[in-house]
Amino acid sequence: MSSTNSASESPLKNTLYRFLWVTMFASDIGAAMQTVGSGWLITSLATSPFVVALLQVMTSLSIFLLALPAGALADIVDRRKLFLATQYFSLAVVAILSILTFGGFTTSSILVVFTLLLGLGNAMSLPVNIVIQTELVPKKKALAAMTLFSVAIYIGLAIGPFLGGLVVAAAGPWAVFMLNALSFVGVIIFLHRWRKPPERKLLPPEQVIGAIRTGLRYMRHSLHVRALFVRDFALTICGSALISLLPLLVRNQAGSNSILFGILVGAFGIGGMISGLVIVPRIKKISIEKRVSSATILYAIALTVLSFQHDIIIVFIGIFAAGTALIIITSSLNFIAYNSVSSWVRTRVVSVHQLVYWGGVAIGSMIWGIVAEIWGIQTALLAASIGLVIGLVTSTRYKLKPLTDVDMTPSMHWSMPRAMIDIDDHEEGSVLVEMEFQIDPARSHEFESAMNGVRSVMLRDGAINWELFHDVENPSRYVMMFTSESWIEHLRQHERITKADLAIERHALSFHIGKDPPRVSHLISEDTSKQNHKTKKEDKA
């Protein structure tokens, strides 16, 4: 397997990427068939819209619960091994569900529980999957790689439901579940054959809890990441109405015809497939903000059409349009989550993006399931379409920015401090870093404004607090102080500073008028209670 260095070629010309794409494509078809089998089975076991919506709730809830720890774990362990474990787990879950269904033991409760378990496996693999597919190609091809994987999903959604409908009609849902179990085999083979070059790290890996805490701190101090999460939530709360109610909406149209059921569900995937192959490549010059806004409006119109129309052809067109819009939205949001952050925290940001996205879907699915239970499916879809437009209008002040022109590669320009004391005795102690500036008092306001950018960088990359002090006796003297949780965590900050951060730092340093560079000091906390305890023991001796 070899990779291509040419950014101008399609990602599919990369042998390694193509291998993964084909295996994931087969898995996507299996997942789409699973959706049809589960949807057909649940509507056979229960007619309540709320119970039917619970299938989507379980899928989304599992991602909501595990996305953050999954992202943190993927940033500190071998991603290949983590991905491989999730595929084996998912294969086992679906195979057991198939056996139970074949034996006639599956109830609506059992189906919901196994859907949750399958969702847990998906939740653990999703952040790794998104990052791995972009690691196999040049950075310039990241959006194309993500779009191609989205296309694979939607081709699966186009083909899988039809095949699933045929299999259900011929053998029953159990056969669909078994075929989905077999679809994981290709990905497992790829992961066993792939030999990812080991990453050389001078520092020990982060602990999971610490990695989660550091990742959340990064996102808190990244405005563009927070904007992404706001838009995620605004879109999914109402956009989930069609996703959760689709099995029941289509079942009402198809009646007892499982093949027609698969065709109507497949309309969603056909729309996404055509959008990904034809529309997305032709709108590259349009800003992501305009793409997402336009696609959201199209999605709202599709929901409105579906709420009023009962003709099968119109329903097919409405579902097709919704799939067309959704791939534009999801590929754009995934690209921002991947491309707008530093590599050390990328999987964590992607996982929280998935957490917010699917958390919104889970909450929305429950809401729209209850609404449909009380007022009907058509009313729920119409209300959701209105909510989509309202959410779009109220969230547009949070602009989506991909930051494609920002260099997020590590700069490694911070020099390592020369430790003259035994650091091993201070593993748990916090670190205080001081930096002293001499500034022209006439330019103090400009300097303080520049230092606000430095503050964001320091807090984003691991500082637990940051302050800038002005000497009341010497107006030209400023002292910047920030604290890290530990010595190791401070050394990690040295590795996290990017070339874009370097530009912000140099701008602030340009205000320094001293003859020598700003003086930097590193101080590490002393646990005096331990020293007192040690002294008492020595006195007793």
Side-chain angles (χ1 to χ4, degrees):
M1 297 181 185
S2 62
S3 61
T4 180
N5 295 322
S6 174
S8 62
E9 293 182 348
S10 167
L12 287 174
K13 293 186 177 181
N14 180 313
T15 305
L16 192 59
Y17 176 89
R18 185 171 62 251
F19 192 114
L20 178 61
W21 189 89
V22 170
T23 57
M24 289 301 301
F25 173 57
S27 183
D28 292 334
I29 292 178
M33 294 176 68
Q34 174 85 20
T35 300
V36 168
S38 298
W40 183 264
L41 184 58
I42 194 69
T43 53
S44 302
L45 298 172
T47 57
S48 167
F50 180 73
V51 175
V52 174
L54 273 180
L55 283 184
Q56 183 59 55
V57 172
M58 291 300 102
T59 300
S60 307
L61 183 63
S62 57
I63 297 177
F64 180 79
L65 293 174
L66 286 185
L68 185 54
L73 195 62
D75 271 331
I76 60 180
V77 302
D78 188 324
R79 291 172 185 162
R80 185 188 70 85
K81 292 180 180 179
L82 177 61
F83 199 10
L84 188 59
T86 63
Q87 299 306 291
Y88 275 119
F89 174 81
S90 298
L91 186 154
V93 168
V94 183
I96 293 172
L97 177 61
S98 175
I99 295 170
L100 290 175
T101 305
F102 179 75
F105 301 109
T106 301
T107 63
S108 59
S109 299
I110 290 176
L111 182 58
V112 168
V113 170
F114 271 82
T115 300
L116 174 63
L117 292 175
L118 185 59
L120 293 177
N122 182 45
M124 289 299 296
S125 67
L126 192 57
V128 186
N129 185 10
I130 293 175
V131 173
I132 284 179
Q133 60 189 256
T134 55
E135 287 181 338
L136 300 178
V137 298
K139 187 176 181 180
K140 291 182 179 180
K141 294 312 240 176
L143 179 57
M146 287 185 175
T147 301
L148 281 171
F149 264 84
S150 297
V151 167
I153 292 173
Y154 280 90
I155 294 176
L157 287 173
I159 299 174
F162 176 70
L163 296 177
L166 290 175
V167 174
V168 168
W174 75 270
V176 170
F177 300 153
M178 185 57 69
L179 288 174
N180 184 35
L182 294 175
S183 73
F184 290 101
V185 174
V187 182
I188 291 173
I189 292 173
F190 166 81
L191 293 171
H192 276 296
R193 293 184 61 185
W194 180 34
R195 290 294 176 262
K196 181 184 176 183
E199 297 181 8
R200 295 183 178 180
K201 294 184 178 181
L202 300 177
L203 301 175
E206 298 176 77
Q207 299 298 315
V208 174
I209 300 300
I212 292 175
R213 188 168 56 246
T214 306
L216 291 175
R217 189 182 298 123
Y218 181 99
M219 298 168 217
R220 176 188 173 190
H221 295 285
S222 298
L223 295 178
H224 60 283
V225 174
R226 284 157 49 191
L228 169 65
F229 296 159
V230 170
R231 299 297 291 276
D232 278 337
F233 198 71
L235 287 165
T236 54
I237 284 290
C238 294
S240 59
L242 179 61
I243 299 173
S244 59
L245 298 175
L246 185 61
L248 202 56
L249 173 70
V250 172
R251 183 65 184 261
N252 291 341
Q253 296 291 324
S256 59
N257 190 334
S258 63
I259 297 176
L260 180 58
F261 180 87
I263 291 173
L264 290 176
V265 173
F268 195 80
I270 295 172
M273 174 185 67
I274 293 176
S275 178
L277 293 175
V278 179
I279 298 177
V280 173
R282 285 168 171 75
I283 59 174
K284 289 181 179 179
K285 295 183 179 180
I286 300 176
S287 70
I288 286 185
E289 175 65 35
K290 290 182 179 179
R291 287 187 226 172
V292 172
S293 298
S294 300
T296 302
I297 294 172
L298 175 60
Y299 197 90
I301 293 172
L303 291 184
T304 303
V305 170
L306 291 171
S307 68
F308 285 108
Q309 290 293 331
H310 301 283
D311 182 79
I312 290 180
I313 296 177
I314 300 299
V315 169
F316 182 93
I317 294 172
I319 297 173
F320 174 90
T324 300
L326 196 58
I327 192 175
I328 297 173
I329 295 172
T330 54
S331 63
S332 299
L333 296 180
N334 286 341
F335 178 69
I336 290 176
Y338 168 81
N339 201 64
S340 302
V341 297
S342 301
S343 58
W344 66 270
V345 77
R346 182 168 291 145
T347 312
R348 276 167 272 189
V349 173
V350 169
S351 68
V352 175
H353 157 59
Q354 296 295 329
L355 182 153
V356 176
Y357 185 94
W358 289 104
V361 172
I363 295 171
S365 296
M366 293 186 66
I367 292 172
W368 300 117
I370 295 172
V371 171
E373 184 88 43
I374 299 173
W375 291 290
I377 297 174
Q378 280 69 31
T379 301
L381 293 178
L382 180 60
S385 67
I386 297 172
L388 267 176
V389 176
I390 294 174
L392 177 62
V393 172
T394 56
S395 63
T396 48
R397 67 190 185 97
Y398 297 93
K399 299 296 182 182
L400 297 171
K401 300 177 180 179
L403 302 184
T404 52
D405 56 343
V406 176
D407 192 347
M408 304 298 287
T409 56
S411 64
M412 303 300 292
H413 70 281
W414 280 9
S415 58
M416 298 296 289
R418 292 191 303 166
M420 304 301 290
I421 61 174
D422 190 354
I423 296 297
D424 292 337
D425 293 337
H426 302 77
E427 289 183 355
E428 303 300 325
S430 57
V431 174
L432 174 67
V433 179
E434 295 181 352
M435 194 169 188
E436 186 173 326
F437 299 88
Q438 295 295 323
I439 305 298
D440 181 356
R443 305 190 67 190
S444 60
H445 292 298
E446 296 177 67
F447 172 70
E448 291 168 10
S449 178
M451 290 300 288
N452 188 51
V454 175
R455 173 185 179 275
S456 296
V457 170
M458 298 301 176
L459 292 173
R460 189 196 64 198
D461 286 351
I464 56 179
N465 61 58
W466 183 99
E467 292 185 82
L468 181 66
F469 294 92
H470 196 177
D471 194 334
V472 295
E473 297 178 349
N474 182 3
S476 65
R477 182 172 178 260
Y478 280 86
V479 178
M480 178 194 76
M481 295 182 179
F482 67 88
T483 308
S484 301
E485 290 182 344
S486 65
W487 183 254
I488 291 295
E489 188 62 23
H490 175 63
L491 294 182
R492 290 194 180 103
Q493 285 180 271
H494 284 243
E495 297 183 343
R496 293 169 181 168
I497 296 294
T498 67
K499 292 180 179 179
D501 300 333
L502 174 59
I504 295 173
E505 186 179 302
R506 283 176 174 172
H507 176 57
L509 287 173
S510 67
F511 291 91
H512 179 67
I513 59 175
K515 294 181 179 179
D516 298 319
R519 184 177 62 85
V520 180
S521 301
H522 295 79
L523 298 90
I524 194 164
S525 65
E526 293 284 0
D527 190 345
T528 55
S529 62
K530 289 185 178 180
Q531 294 297 330
N532 291 336
H533 182 67
K534 182 178 179 181
T535 302
K536 288 179 181 179
K537 290 180 69 176
E538 290 175 350
D539 290 343
K540 288 182 180 180

